[in-house]
Amino acid sequence: MMRLIGGVMLMACATLAGAASPPPLQDLDATVERVRERFDVPGIAVAVVKDGKIVLERGWGVREQGRPEPVQADTLFAIASNTKAFTALSLNLLAEEGKLKMDDKVTEHLPAFRMSDPFVTSQMTVRDLLSHRSGLSLGAGDLLFWPTTTYRNADVVERLGKVPLKGGFRERYAYDNILYAVAQQVIEKVSGQSYQAFLQQRIFDKVGMAGTRYNADHLHAGDQAAVGHAKFDFTDLRTVAPLTWQNNAGAGGIYSSVHDMARWMQVQLAHGTLPDGTALFSAKSQQQMWQMITPQVVAEPTVPELLPARPNFAGYGEGWSLSDYQGQKLVWHTGGWPGMVSRVTLVPEANLGVVVLTNQEVGAAFNAITLSVLDAYLGRSGHDWVDAYGKAVDKGRGKADEAWAKHQAARDRTSRPSLPRDAYAATYRDSWYGDMHISRNGKVLRLQFDKTPQLVGTLEHWQHDTFIVRWDDRSLNADAFVNFSLDPDGKVRDVRMQAISELTDFSFDFQDLLFVPQG
């Protein structure tokens, strides 16, 4: 999950005073500072592992814009979907113990599990939960937990049974988060532990990730955590409220630092061997997690400057993305969170790992830094990734502006709603999300998603029976068209929604909602 945006220059703050970068990374300071200036990132942390050693773990910038506290190697960030690799490992650890098989049907462990199609329900395996090939569309069901909702994990998994499938089972790749909520339930059911306790005892403690936290709700009073930043209305850089996924921690809950994530990369590159020589997991399990299950279509780069990064293959294993770069296999993942995005990249044959954590919502930042580090160690030089990703961001903005201009050109500004405003005010229900309320407040209509406190806003008339909801929280960057369809008697039959900007995060899956009036 992530949005593109980028500008604000802050002084660099290295974690280790006077610490010199290793020879291949002599230009990293300048690169990170260019990234921070070009993409408006207040703080960035980077760690690099090479040949089993942590050769760099540092921070640049500040934890919060306008405050002096520096980003350091132990500064905690939301690592978001980089959590998925921990969830995949948890299931494989249970498989190693013989408590489940990765090809077990999910219903063998969770009899009440349901997808919207009975056949898919009956055939879905534990491995399928991790590999994004269920038939769900991109981000389907995310509104059950994004932004933070009052649903419990059990509610999310139950409501999955109503989320529509848009593709064939095991037919194609479509990234989802909601099946990791199911994976979390499987872990808890089979292990007899909470997922929090399992992660802490079976992974964090053994790897040496002492500062890592289960999610935002479990940050300690003394933790030095970064504050997320976003471009309000895509323009004004400000801090955002923290988000928590207590109801789907398996998809993206963890908070960690580059100090701890460097240790995680060491164990991954050592094929599961811990620093004391014991095994956290087997090489066989790693082979399964790093084996392509779901191929992806390799997209053409958005600008010519990104052509050198275009992979020859791309796919997904179990909690890891798989592709190649400069003849080397990459095992990697990204994470997107309100105000924070990140990337973890492993190059197994080069025994190289890179983690980049940031406190702004611009993936171009972590990509530019990651590829610069890979180039430094893989013997490739001379390509300006900051400039390349800067041009990609600019093009993405331009494309979004063009799409909005087309909407404006098609708008009939003389049109009026078919009904008086009071006739649109009602409670509406979607089969998988639940209720949405529209109420009259003076001269305006207000919209509120019942289980999502942040999704409250004002309806502005667009044309005919279509409105735009302008969310009160301007950090969301997710204003949406709200279209009312009328029946032959002139009453509201249903309501559909669609994000108005192409830059809106895909987790606002408004397009999958179909609200019908209640009462």
Side-chain angles (χ1 to χ4, degrees):
M1 288 164 266
M2 74 189 59
R3 288 166 258 187
L4 297 172
I5 326 285
V8 155
M9 180 80 173
L10 298 168
M11 291 186 63
C13 298
T15 297
L16 304 175
S21 299
L25 301 177
Q26 291 300 314
D27 296 331
L28 185 61
D29 278 338
T31 298
V32 173
E33 284 307 317
R34 287 184 62 215
V35 164
R36 293 181 53 240
E37 181 179 13
R38 178 65 177 82
F39 303 116
D40 295 354
V41 186
I44 294 175
V46 180
V48 178
V49 171
K50 182 71 172 83
D51 297 330
K53 297 180 180 179
I54 300 171
V55 298
L56 179 137
E57 52 176 33
R58 292 180 61 182
W60 291 259
V62 292
R63 298 203 303 265
E64 181 179 352
Q65 179 181 248
R67 297 181 62 88
E69 293 82 6
V71 170
Q72 299 177 316
D74 59 356
T75 299
L76 295 173
F77 293 77
I79 67 167
S81 287
N82 284 299
T83 300
K84 289 180 170 66
F86 291 84
T87 301
L89 175 56
S90 298
L91 288 168
N92 276 273
L93 289 175
L94 292 169
E96 288 184 11
E97 295 171 5
K99 293 183 177 179
L100 59 76
K101 295 182 178 65
M102 296 301 292
D103 292 318
D104 284 347
K105 301 296 192 293
V106 174
T107 51
E108 295 178 44
H109 302 286
L110 303 175
F113 167 75
R114 294 291 182 274
M115 298 289 286
S116 62
D117 183 291
F119 173 77
V120 178
T121 299
S122 69
Q123 297 302 306
M124 181 78 71
T125 67
V126 173
R127 197 185 311 276
D128 288 324
L129 298 176
L130 307 174
S131 53
H132 308 299
R133 58 177 185 169
S134 64
L136 291 167
S137 60
L138 174 65
D142 280 2
L143 283 169
L144 291 169
F145 37 83
W146 170 288
T148 301
T149 70
T150 57
Y151 284 122
R152 301 168 302 143
N153 176 263
D155 299 325
V156 171
V157 174
E158 179 183 0
R159 288 179 173 275
L160 168 63
K162 297 291 186 179
V163 178
L165 299 177
K166 299 293 182 69
F169 182 52
R170 297 178 185 162
E171 179 180 82
R172 58 183 173 83
Y173 174 88
Y175 190 86
D176 77 83
N177 290 293
I178 195 167
L179 289 178
Y180 277 75
V182 183
Q184 179 180 334
Q185 276 200 5
V186 173
I187 293 164
E188 294 181 334
K189 178 71 177 295
V190 172
S191 70
Q193 293 181 283
S194 69
Y195 187 43
Q196 177 192 358
F198 190 94
L199 282 177
Q200 191 67 51
Q201 297 169 20
R202 301 295 305 276
I203 300 179
F204 297 162
D205 289 347
K206 293 188 175 183
V207 174
M209 303 175 71
T212 298
R213 307 290 180 242
Y214 178 58
N215 64 23
D217 293 333
H218 293 81
L219 291 171
H220 298 175
D223 285 341
Q224 306 301 309
V227 175
H229 298 76
K231 290 293 190 71
F232 284 51
D233 292 312
F234 298 110
T235 57
D236 181 22
L237 186 69
R238 295 165 58 187
T239 60
V240 300
L243 175 85
T244 184
W245 270 6
Q246 184 67 39
N247 51 9
N248 191 4
I254 293 174
Y255 265 66
S256 192
S257 64
V258 295
H259 176 79
D260 281 6
M261 292 299 289
R263 282 141 186 81
W264 169 246
M265 293 192 300
Q266 282 180 307
V267 175
Q268 291 291 330
L269 291 168
H271 309 292
T273 302
L274 294 165
D276 64 5
T278 61
L280 176 64
F281 55 88
S282 70
K284 181 180 178 181
S285 290
Q286 185 176 70
Q287 183 179 17
Q288 286 191 138
M289 288 183 280
W290 289 5
Q291 181 176 343
M292 187 186 298
I293 299 172
T294 312
Q296 295 174 239
V297 175
V298 177
E300 290 299 320
T302 56
V303 295
E305 289 80 3
L306 289 182
L307 188 60
R310 184 185 188 276
N312 294 296
F313 71 87
Y316 203 89
E318 296 174 7
W320 289 100
S321 295
L322 307 165
S323 62
D324 68 304
Y325 177 68
Q326 297 300 311
Q328 299 275 0
K329 177 181 179 179
L330 299 185
V331 181
W332 58 283
H333 213 287
T334 61
W337 204 248
M340 302 190 208
V341 296
S342 55
R343 175 169 173 165
V344 176
T345 306
L346 305 173
V347 191
E349 293 181 2
N351 205 3
L352 174 65
V354 186
V355 57
V356 183
L357 308 180
T358 78
N359 61 357
Q360 217 273 69
E361 298 176 346
V362 52
F366 62 60
N367 281 328
I369 293 171
T370 297
L371 289 175
S372 296
V373 174
L374 295 188
D375 283 355
Y377 279 98
L378 298 180
R380 187 178 185 278
S381 62
H383 198 76
D384 189 340
W385 291 111
V386 181
D387 177 70
Y389 279 101
K391 289 178 178 176
V393 167
D394 291 342
K395 184 171 183 178
R397 285 176 177 160
K399 183 180 177 184
D401 290 343
E402 289 175 8
W404 176 239
K406 289 180 180 179
H407 284 306
Q408 290 179 311
R411 181 185 183 187
D412 180 358
R413 296 176 182 271
T414 65
S415 66
R416 294 290 182 266
S418 300
L419 306 175
R421 291 185 184 273
D422 285 343
Y424 298 99
T427 292
Y428 298 87
R429 182 166 297 161
D430 174 77
S431 61
W432 60 266
Y433 172 81
D435 290 353
M436 174 263 288
H437 310 287
I438 296 178
S439 59
R440 178 78 178 265
N441 185 355
K443 295 183 179 181
V444 301
L445 292 172
R446 296 280 287 168
L447 185 154
Q448 169 73 68
F449 274 54
D450 187 52
K451 300 294 184 179
T452 315
Q454 280 180 273
L455 290 184
V456 56
T458 298
L459 288 177
E460 297 178 0
H461 183 248
W462 178 250
Q463 64 177 344
H464 306 296
D465 293 310
T466 297
F467 294 74
I468 288 178
V469 59
R470 302 288 186 187
W471 304 113
D472 293 350
D473 185 343
R474 304 311 298 161
S475 73
L476 298 177
N477 292 323
D479 291 348
F481 291 115
V482 181
N483 180 255
F484 295 85
S485 295
L486 307 185
D487 66 18
D489 295 324
K491 296 181 180 179
V492 176
R493 176 172 50 203
D494 57 54
V495 182
R496 295 178 182 270
M497 297 180 66
Q498 174 187 330
I500 67 173
S501 174
E502 294 187 357
L503 298 179
T504 293
D505 193 289
F506 68 74
S507 285
F508 291 99
D509 56 321
F510 299 127
Q511 70 281 352
D512 291 328
L513 298 167
L514 178 61
F515 287 108
V516 295
Q518 301 298 295

